[in-house]
């Protein structure tokens, strides 16, 4: 990275990359669960995207943990 990129720009880039990876992961896992007839879904909305962007892959795991708990 060049020296003219400030830390807030790096934070935003990092957030957006984690959010994109989280959204793709949610779509893949939801598709897998549909194929295996597991009735647990995590929807895509601003809250779930913010959780995956802020917490990354552990945030996606947390969302599925809550979804599994709620489906019992």
């Amino acid at each position: 990275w060049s020296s003219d990129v400030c830390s807030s720009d790096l934070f935003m880039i990092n957030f957006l990359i984690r959010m994109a990876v989280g959204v793709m992961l949610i779509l893949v896992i939801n598709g897998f669960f549909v194929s295996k007839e597991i009735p647990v879904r995590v929807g895509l909305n601003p809250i779930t995207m913010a959780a995956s962007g802020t917490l990354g892959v552990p945030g996606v795991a947390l969302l599925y943990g809550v979804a599994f708990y709620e489906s019992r």
Side-chain angles (χ1 to χ4, degrees), residues 35-53:
S35 71
K36 299 296 182 185
E37 298 179 5
I38 300 172
V40 174
R41 309 284 180 276
V42 170
L44 287 177
N45 56 55
I47 302 298
T48 58
M49 291 192 296
S52 68

Side-chain angles (χ1 to χ4, degrees), residues 2 4-5 8 12 14-15 18 28-29 33 37-38 44 46 49 57-58 60-61 65-66 68-69 72:
S2 64
D4 63 338
V5 177
S8 65
M12 186 55 93
N14 190 1
F15 177 84
R18 284 184 292 182
V28 168
I29 293 171
F33 285 168
E37 298 179 5
I38 300 172
L44 287 177
M49 291 192 296
V57 174
V60 174
V66 170
F68 271 107
Y69 180 78
R72 298 187 318 124

Side-chain angles (χ1 to χ4, degrees), residues 9 13 25 30-31 50 64 69 72:
D9 292 339
I13 291 169
L25 195 57
N30 278 346
Y64 277 100
Y69 180 78
R72 298 187 318 124

